[in-house]
Amino acid sequence: MASIGIVGAGTAGLHLGLKLLAQGIPVTLYSEQEPDAVRTGRLLNTVTHHAPTRAREREVWVDFWGVPELAMKRLSIHVHAPQPFSVQGRLSDPSLCVDYRVYQPRLAEAFVERGGRLEILPVDAVMLEKLASRHTLMVVATGRNGLTGLFPRIPELSPHTKPPRVLFAALLEGLRMPQPTSMHTNLIPGQGEVFESQIITRHGRVPSTLIEAIPGTELAALISRKRDDDPAALDASLLEVMRRFAPATYERIDPTEFGVRGPLDFLQGGFTPAVRRAWAPLGEGRFVMAVGDTHVTNDPVAGQGANGASASAFALAHAITDALLAERPFDEAFCRDTDARMWAAVAPTTHWSNALLEPPPAHLIDLLVTASRDTFVADAFVSDMMIPERILPICASPEATAAYISEARTPRADLLAASGALGWDTGTRIRPLAG
Amino acid sequence: MASIGIVGAGTAGLHLGLKLLAQGIPVTLYSEQEPDAVRTGRLLNTVTHHAPTRAREREVWVDFWGVPELAMKRLSIHVHAPQPFSVQGRLSDPSLCVDYRVYQPRLAEAFVERGGRLEILPVDAVMLEKLASRHTLMVVATGRNGLTGLFPRIPELSPHTKPPRVLFAALLEGLRMPQPTSMHTNLIPGQGEVFESQIITRHGRVPSTLIEAIPGTELAALISRKRDDDPAALDASLLEVMRRFAPATYERIDPTEFGVRGPLDFLQGGFTPAVRRAWAPLGEGRFVMAVGDTHVTNDPVAGQGANGASASAFALAHAITDALLAERPFDEAFCRDTDARMWAAVAPTTHWSNALLEPPPAHLIDLLVTASRDTFVADAFVSDMMIPERILPICASPEATAAYISEARTPRADLLAASGALGWDTGTRIRPLAG
């Protein structure tokens, strides 16, 4: 019987494995670490899962944190322009932010409970060849052990040649969380972006931050101190970041308590986003596919990395299932076709992430300003900006943006009907307002 | 602010805690063991969660194993009468069987992720008094450390004075699992009952058994050997049990591989079911409530223990919420009213469990025989027997059973409509059958 081998038990590998399993296909996941080692290890990131990813999670029945109290329902965008302004919107379909040290081990457990095989085994290029003889198809879903190097970078799709941002992500203490769960985004022209969010950890919901600094800026200097050298100095720098660049967050800080939660609860660094070919030849006429970070990395500015990885993992799962049903071989033609399907799934996240790294065009600023004054536009915009395939066409031209604003401004028919039901017309005014 | 303290992180304590948390009430769970100790410990039982419990799990968003492949969709009942017969039915709303070493730690993690407090602390009667001063109300949901003794047994509701069955439960190996997931029940007059099921463990789905032997019988002798003395001898006895008393299971056994899976994967023993008062006085005018096994224990013959515990935990959660909203004190009147609500929730499980320990009345045998010949009746019966409040009135009298059979035999209107849509009438027969 056909079986699929997946190297890497991150989000892409897990979503692929769970989807294949749900389609009745035997899967072995090769992971370098026991789930328990992930659980007690260093923060992996502070990624948010948006509506399309959450729909896929429901599809494979891993929406384990869907309880309404935990969902992220609001997004505020603070633009630190000479005339500062803020957009505050409600998400039509809430997002969810779970610590990957909770998320990935939990999904790995579900994978095993459902009959998937999990083998703890570091896989390098030599081992990959060996495993290829055990399985119908191998998929690489980890950047470890040099496997990413098998898949050539595609320069036309990879505009970055160095890290576009200096990054800092952490779980925080000494910061009172807003109610309900909501994200604060600060856009600071010429410096970068500061995000505040809340994340579900194994100790409950805690505040978190992601800071994206343009290299060479003051903001970059503030987040580049090595925490391990002097934790208190880094905490002081973070406080300064919040005071200057995230005032809506700073208001809720207790300076005497504020800082990174624990010694493993932060990440510092940077990377160069890249798009790679999703396949590579192995020996004996076999091929291997890449998915997730092995295939595409995006700067986290749009919060889309995991969402793109999940989308392309599902595209790959569908391609594998189609090929097995059609008894089509996993040859180079399969690889090329599947690469195209996967790129179609992930490309919007790459385009939107790259767009957000550049200064916004005038019509996008118009949209933000309008949204700051009109809650209809704000709710529509914050909901749509979580979904790259929706927001990209909206921002594609001044005309498209103008049409979007015009449509979003028109109160929806169901709301109008509700106001009718309340008697809001001149004929039936409630008495104190009549006349 | 009000807060509730719960001693015991078993299913009753967890369902109560999660339900209170969902209603915005702060909860602390006191557990003797870390979730990880439960995960790697001895088998706790092989309980099945039926439709009403699964609905409560969805209500507090802990339906973590709801993926359709894992659900128990069929039930076979083999009656070992002089003229043996079998009932094979499909469950209208599938049941689910999860190893509590997976289930309880997972729910404890969800409880903490959602802001519940979990303290690892053994609680005896002295500590209970101390904790009572910290919380608005204490609830005992564990039989450990002598706390059950606080709640007097109610003789009128507790017909048993000694264990009605010798019990043996285990995870098995060397037994091919049926597809789809299904339960086999063997009713052996004069000996007891042998159940085969499949259970979701942290190693995937595995076969399991529960054997209920009437004391003093051959079956009791076969399952009373101490496994620790001679594992191979016990495995041989189990094989003999399956050969003689569970032939539909025995067919799928490989005798060379058959036996208990691991040294912690079984339970042997017995207990005397009891109903206790759900409350007790503490010092300083305070009271403590009991829930789950502390309140009511049922023989596992009906597979209803956890289902009753969950139902009464939700009844208690509603009573606590009502009292807090009404600013009513947690006094003796509250205890008496709440005891009545909880008993109403759990009583059907006790009555049905006790009924199944007795030889069935003639009209129930009629129902079984009819179900063995009529799939409409079989599907209705196996679905309804999972839900005590449904099956009890059906079995309450020969007239009620006869009415039920008559109604179940009538094909449902929607099926008739479907057959109409297919053209199954004399006027429009498909050609090869016309005439």
Side-chain angles (χ1 to χ4, degrees):
Chain A
M1 192 175 180
S3 86
I4 308 298
I6 302 171
V7 183
T11 300
L14 287 163
H15 279 209
L16 174 62
L18 286 159
K19 181 68 182 160
L20 290 171
L21 219 53
Q23 292 172 326
I25 299 167
V27 185
T28 303
L29 267 179
Y30 298 93
S31 172
E32 204 169 42
Q33 290 185 296
E34 291 278 0
D36 266 347
V38 176
R39 195 176 277 118
T40 55
R42 174 174 290 278
L43 183 70
L44 292 161
N45 57 38
T46 56
V47 77
T48 301
H49 287 196
H50 303 301
T53 302
R54 296 195 59 202
R56 284 186 292 272
E57 290 169 337
R58 284 190 291 274
E59 206 180 309
V60 293
W61 212 282
V62 294
D63 188 18
F64 299 144
W65 300 271
V67 58
E69 304 90 274
L70 298 179
M72 179 169 300
K73 298 176 187 75
R74 298 196 188 177
L75 174 67
S76 296
I77 304 170
H78 308 286
V79 182
H80 297 240
Q83 288 265 39
F85 64 92
S86 293
V87 176
Q88 300 189 316
R90 285 169 300 184
L91 296 174
S92 60
D93 205 344
S95 297
L96 196 68
C97 190
V98 182
D99 189 334
Y100 267 7
R101 293 173 293 184
V102 168
Y103 184 88
Q104 292 180 349
R106 188 72 50 86
L107 264 62
E109 287 169 4
F111 173 81
V112 174
E113 287 159 11
R114 295 174 195 180
R117 273 182 67 91
L118 178 65
E119 281 194 32
I120 308 305
L121 182 74
V123 177
D124 60 11
V126 175
M127 180 57 79
L128 182 66
E129 286 280 0
K130 272 191 203 153
L131 295 178
S133 65
R134 277 198 215 164
H135 294 287
T136 320
L137 178 68
M138 289 300 299
V139 179
V140 174
T142 177
R144 292 178 190 246
N145 297 310
L147 293 180
T148 302
L150 295 174
F151 305 94
R153 177 172 169 276
I154 304 175
E156 311 86 277
L157 301 176
S158 308
H160 304 285
T161 52
K162 55 181 199 287
R165 290 288 188 274
V166 178
L167 301 173
F168 181 89
L171 309 190
L172 301 172
E173 58 188 3
L175 168 59
R176 188 167 49 76
M177 293 186 282
Q179 287 294 352
T181 298
S182 50
M183 183 182 276
H184 284 271
T185 295
N186 296 273
L187 307 180
I188 312 119
Q191 297 281 346
E193 300 81 20
V194 177
F195 302 90
E196 179 211 348
S197 181
Q198 298 85 46
I199 185 167
I200 302 158
T201 74
R202 66 194 181 108
H203 306 294
R205 223 161 46 96
V206 306
S208 67
T209 191
L210 167 66
I211 304 173
E212 298 234 349
I214 298 170
T217 58
E218 261 181 295
L219 181 57
L222 282 166
I223 62 169
S224 295
R225 285 171 178 279
K226 291 271 163 271
R227 182 178 190 274
D228 295 341
D229 296 344
D230 186 348
L234 179 74
D235 287 349
S237 288
L238 280 182
L239 186 63
E240 181 66 7
V241 168
M242 297 302 168
R243 192 183 65 78
R244 289 186 49 198
F245 300 119
T249 300
Y250 186 74
E251 277 177 12
R252 283 176 279 109
I253 285 178
D254 173 352
T256 63
E257 299 285 335
F258 181 73
V260 172
R261 269 177 88 84
L264 295 175
D265 289 339
F266 75 101
L267 278 177
Q268 284 181 294
F271 67 93
T272 306
V275 176
R276 296 171 179 278
R277 203 177 65 189
W279 59 277
L282 293 176
E284 303 182 25
R286 292 198 182 92
F287 293 86
V288 57
M289 299 294 303
V291 71
D293 285 354
T294 320
H295 175 212
V296 173
T297 50
N298 291 323
D299 184 273
V301 68
Q304 289 295 343
N307 296 279
S310 164
S312 68
F314 269 54
L316 176 54
H318 288 133
I320 290 171
T321 310
D322 291 350
L324 288 172
L325 287 173
E327 299 185 14
R328 189 182 158 186
F330 292 107
D331 55 9
E332 189 173 323
F334 166 83
C335 292
R336 289 183 185 281
D337 292 352
T338 302
D339 190 339
R341 284 171 79 165
M342 292 170 69
W343 175 241
V346 70
T349 67
T350 301
H351 295 319
W352 180 235
S353 301
N354 287 337
L356 288 185
L357 292 170
E358 301 297 320
H363 61 274
L364 182 49
I365 296 174
D366 278 354
L367 175 51
L368 282 165
V369 170
T370 309
S372 75
R373 298 178 178 189
D374 183 322
T375 58
F376 286 112
V377 177
D379 289 352
F381 175 66
V382 302
S383 299
D384 288 335
M385 75 173 279
M386 299 304 190
I387 304 176
E389 53 271 45
R390 277 205 211 145
I391 195 68
L392 281 168
I394 291 164
C395 299
S397 68
E399 294 72 25
T401 302
Y404 177 75
I405 291 174
S406 160
E407 195 187 330
R409 269 187 159 162
T410 310
R412 295 200 322 271
D414 56 337
L415 290 174
L416 286 176
S419 69
L422 288 169
W424 281 350
D425 63 67
T426 45
T428 59
R429 273 195 193 285
I430 296 164
R431 198 155 311 143
L433 295 173
Chain B
M1 191 176 181
S3 86
I4 308 298
I6 303 171
V7 183
T11 299
L14 286 163
H15 279 209
L16 174 62
L18 286 159
K19 181 67 182 161
L20 290 171
L21 219 52
Q23 292 172 326
I25 299 167
V27 185
T28 303
L29 267 179
Y30 299 93
S31 172
E32 204 169 42
Q33 291 186 295
E34 291 279 0
D36 267 347
V38 176
R39 195 176 277 118
T40 55
R42 173 174 291 278
L43 182 70
L44 291 161
N45 58 38
T46 57
V47 77
T48 301
H49 287 196
H50 303 301
T53 302
R54 296 194 60 202
R56 283 186 292 272
E57 290 169 336
R58 283 190 292 273
E59 206 180 309
V60 293
W61 211 282
V62 295
D63 188 18
F64 300 143
W65 300 271
V67 58
E69 305 90 274
L70 298 179
M72 180 169 300
K73 298 177 186 73
R74 297 196 189 178
L75 174 67
S76 297
I77 304 170
H78 308 286
V79 182
H80 297 240
Q83 288 266 41
F85 65 92
S86 292
V87 175
Q88 301 189 315
R90 284 169 300 184
L91 296 174
S92 59
D93 205 344
S95 297
L96 196 68
C97 191
V98 182
D99 189 334
Y100 268 7
R101 293 173 293 184
V102 169
Y103 184 88
Q104 292 180 350
R106 188 72 50 86
L107 264 62
E109 288 169 4
F111 173 80
V112 174
E113 287 159 11
R114 296 174 195 179
R117 272 181 69 90
L118 178 66
E119 281 194 32
I120 307 305
L121 182 74
V123 177
D124 59 11
V126 175
M127 180 57 78
L128 182 66
E129 287 279 1
K130 273 191 204 154
L131 295 178
S133 65
R134 278 197 215 166
H135 294 287
T136 320
L137 179 69
M138 289 300 299
V139 179
V140 174
T142 177
R144 292 179 190 244
N145 298 310
L147 293 181
T148 302
L150 295 175
F151 306 94
R153 177 173 169 275
I154 304 176
E156 311 86 277
L157 301 176
S158 308
H160 304 285
T161 52
K162 55 181 200 285
R165 291 287 189 274
V166 178
L167 302 173
F168 181 90
L171 309 191
L172 301 172
E173 58 189 2
L175 168 58
R176 188 168 49 76
M177 293 185 282
Q179 287 294 351
T181 298
S182 49
M183 183 182 275
H184 284 271
T185 295
N186 296 273
L187 307 180
I188 312 119
Q191 296 282 346
E193 300 80 19
V194 177
F195 302 90
E196 179 211 348
S197 182
Q198 298 86 47
I199 184 168
I200 302 158
T201 74
R202 66 193 181 109
H203 306 294
R205 222 162 46 95
V206 306
S208 67
T209 190
L210 167 67
I211 304 173
E212 298 234 349
I214 298 170
T217 59
E218 261 181 295
L219 181 57
L222 282 166
I223 61 168
S224 295
R225 285 172 178 279
K226 290 270 163 272
R227 182 177 190 273
D228 294 342
D229 296 344
D230 186 348
L234 179 75
D235 287 350
S237 288
L238 280 183
L239 187 63
E240 181 66 7
V241 168
M242 297 302 167
R243 192 183 66 77
R244 289 185 49 198
F245 300 118
T249 300
Y250 186 75
E251 277 176 12
R252 284 176 278 109
I253 284 178
D254 173 352
T256 63
E257 300 285 335
F258 180 74
V260 172
R261 269 177 88 85
L264 295 174
D265 289 339
F266 75 101
L267 278 177
Q268 283 182 295
F271 67 93
T272 306
V275 176
R276 296 172 179 277
R277 203 177 65 188
W279 59 276
L282 292 176
E284 303 182 24
R286 292 198 182 93
F287 293 86
V288 57
M289 299 294 303
V291 71
D293 285 354
T294 320
H295 175 212
V296 173
T297 50
N298 291 322
D299 184 273
V301 68
Q304 289 296 344
N307 295 279
S310 164
S312 68
F314 269 54
L316 176 54
H318 288 133
I320 290 171
T321 310
D322 291 350
L324 288 172
L325 286 173
E327 298 185 13
R328 189 183 158 186
F330 292 107
D331 55 9
E332 189 173 323
F334 167 83
C335 292
R336 289 184 185 280
D337 292 353
T338 302
D339 190 339
R341 284 171 80 165
M342 291 170 69
W343 175 241
V346 70
T349 68
T350 301
H351 295 319
W352 180 235
S353 301
N354 287 336
L356 288 185
L357 292 170
E358 302 296 321
H363 60 275
L364 183 50
I365 296 174
D366 277 355
L367 175 51
L368 282 166
V369 169
T370 309
S372 75
R373 297 178 178 190
D374 183 321
T375 58
F376 286 111
V377 178
D379 289 352
F381 176 66
V382 302
S383 299
D384 289 335
M385 75 173 279
M386 299 304 190
I387 304 176
E389 53 271 45
R390 276 205 211 145
I391 195 68
L392 282 168
I394 291 163
C395 299
S397 69
E399 294 72 25
T401 302
Y404 177 74
I405 291 173
S406 160
E407 194 187 330
R409 269 186 159 162
T410 310
R412 295 200 322 270
D414 55 338
L415 290 173
L416 286 176
S419 69
L422 289 168
W424 281 349
D425 65 40
T426 45
T428 59
R429 273 194 192 285
I430 295 164
R431 199 156 309 142
L433 294 173

